[in-house]
Amino acid sequence: MSMKNHTWLFSIIFLFLCIGTLNAEDLIHILQKGETLFGISKKYHVPASAIMNANKILDPDKLKIGQKIVIPNVYTVQKGDTLYGIARKFEVEIDLLLGLNNLTKNSGIRAGDLLFLPGLKDSLVASKSSENSSPIINNNPVIIPPKPLVDPRLYESKQVDTKIIWPVSVTDISYLSGKLYGVSITSGKGEVVKAISSGSVLSTGPYRGFGQVVFLQGKTGFIYVYGGLDQISVSSGDTLNFGDKLGTLGFDSISGKPQLYFMVYNKETPVDPAKAPRGY
């Protein structure tokens, strides 16, 4: 590949790195009608006291619809992370880390998972010395369910022809908007992800918020991006034919659904994936 083509690829990969940072440290939640601070606390498995501190909320009963609520101290698990390693890195007691994230010492984590880190400075009021590692609100322990966080990616519903060739079978499909343009395809867990165009694999690997990602350059020069894979079956430099297996689809760490993020670029310009070249 020429240096010019490398520049295109690096620009596209940089977009993924930038989007991935939306899932790190602090998230923003827009308060909807009927929501309460207690409900938001349960939704994000972040203690209400931490949310109140981060937003300087004195009276949780006076929140307003449309108000921006900062959800603090959310850490995105990186490749190679372990629970004990994360606890040591951020100086968090392991039992507290496990309790607040509804995990046990035998729980597994993988790249893209989201954890609340109570040890990040002063965001957590609950005492570490408490016998109960769960936060206490109104003298009652908060049971924190393992629910997915709000997806920071933007979606737009459009009529899309599901009969054309897609990398996976389509249950539902939406367009991504914002910094990244493409489609999000809901399919089945473990579904085989196939190349819709022959070409060469440029790069593979995990990208925060998008699982395992494969970048493939077709013979026409278009770059095809397949994100949301659980397992990858190809390596950089592989030459693939139309319909070859790229890997299998996994669950998205935020939505909790099996979602393929599919984008196509002509140089640095995004192309409607429904209109991108297909076949040999």
Side-chain angles (χ1 to χ4, degrees):
M1 187 194 307
S2 68
M3 181 59 69
K4 193 172 183 180
N5 282 349
H6 273 299
T7 302
W8 300 340
L9 177 61
F10 293 155
S11 297
I12 295 169
I13 290 177
F14 180 72
L15 281 174
F16 274 79
L17 295 176
C18 290
I19 294 296
T21 61
L22 291 175
N23 301 328
E25 297 185 353
D26 290 347
L27 298 174
I28 302 295
H29 177 87
I30 306 299
L31 190 70
Q32 305 297 311
K33 184 178 180 180
E35 288 185 320
T36 64
L37 185 71
F38 181 74
I40 294 172
S41 170
K42 292 178 64 177
K43 184 184 183 97
Y44 289 94
H45 51 80
V46 172
S49 56
I51 298 175
M52 290 178 69
N53 278 357
N55 294 273
K56 298 181 180 179
I57 296 173
L58 299 178
D59 188 346
D61 293 327
K62 293 184 178 180
L63 299 179
K64 298 179 180 179
I65 297 173
Q67 182 174 342
K68 293 182 178 179
I69 306 294
V70 175
I71 310 300
N73 302 337
V74 177
Y75 175 72
T76 304
V77 175
Q78 305 297 300
K79 185 176 181 181
D81 275 346
T82 65
L83 288 169
Y84 284 92
I86 293 171
R88 286 195 301 270
K89 180 178 179 180
F90 293 98
E91 300 181 353
V92 181
E93 293 179 10
I94 185 63
D95 289 340
L96 183 60
L97 176 65
L98 296 174
L100 289 175
N101 290 280
N102 199 30
L103 300 172
T104 69
K105 292 181 179 179
N106 296 322
S107 296
I109 56 174
R110 63 180 184 178
D113 287 348
L114 296 152
L115 299 175
F116 171 68
L117 291 181
L120 291 183
K121 307 304 178 185
D122 300 324
S123 62
L124 179 63
V125 171
S127 171
K128 290 184 180 181
S129 61
S130 172
E131 293 183 1
N132 188 338
S133 61
S134 296
I136 303 297
I137 299 177
N138 296 332
N139 296 320
N140 294 313
V142 178
I143 305 302
I144 305 169
K147 291 186 178 181
L149 297 180
V150 165
D151 194 336
R153 294 174 286 253
L154 301 176
Y155 299 88
E156 181 180 356
S157 297
K158 288 185 179 180
Q159 188 68 32
V160 181
D161 187 355
T162 59
K163 295 181 181 179
I164 64 175
I165 298 172
W166 293 104
V168 293
S169 60
V170 177
T171 300
D172 186 40
I173 188 167
S174 298
Y175 271 81
L176 294 168
S177 60
K179 291 185 178 180
L180 285 180
Y181 178 77
V183 294
S184 169
I185 303 173
T186 303
S187 188
K189 175 68 168 64
E191 179 92 8
V192 173
V193 180
K194 298 179 180 179
I196 70 163
S197 173
S198 58
S200 300
V201 178
L202 300 177
S203 176
T204 66
Y207 288 86
R208 187 164 53 197
F210 291 92
Q212 298 286 339
V213 181
V214 174
F215 296 83
L216 185 148
Q217 186 170 35
K219 293 181 179 179
T220 57
F222 285 72
I223 294 178
Y224 299 80
V225 183
Y226 304 81
L229 281 70
D230 184 35
Q231 300 289 335
I232 293 179
S233 306
V234 297
S235 302
S236 297
D238 286 353
T239 299
L240 303 180
N241 294 318
F242 167 72
D244 281 352
K245 178 180 177 180
L246 301 175
T248 55
L249 189 61
F251 280 109
D252 180 76
S253 60
I254 301 176
S255 71
K257 299 177 182 179
Q259 284 182 288
L260 179 77
Y261 296 97
F262 182 52
M263 284 143 276
V264 183
Y265 292 84
N266 182 10
K267 298 181 181 179
E268 295 179 358
T269 304
V271 175
D272 185 343
K275 300 177 181 178
R278 285 160 165 74
Y280 298 93

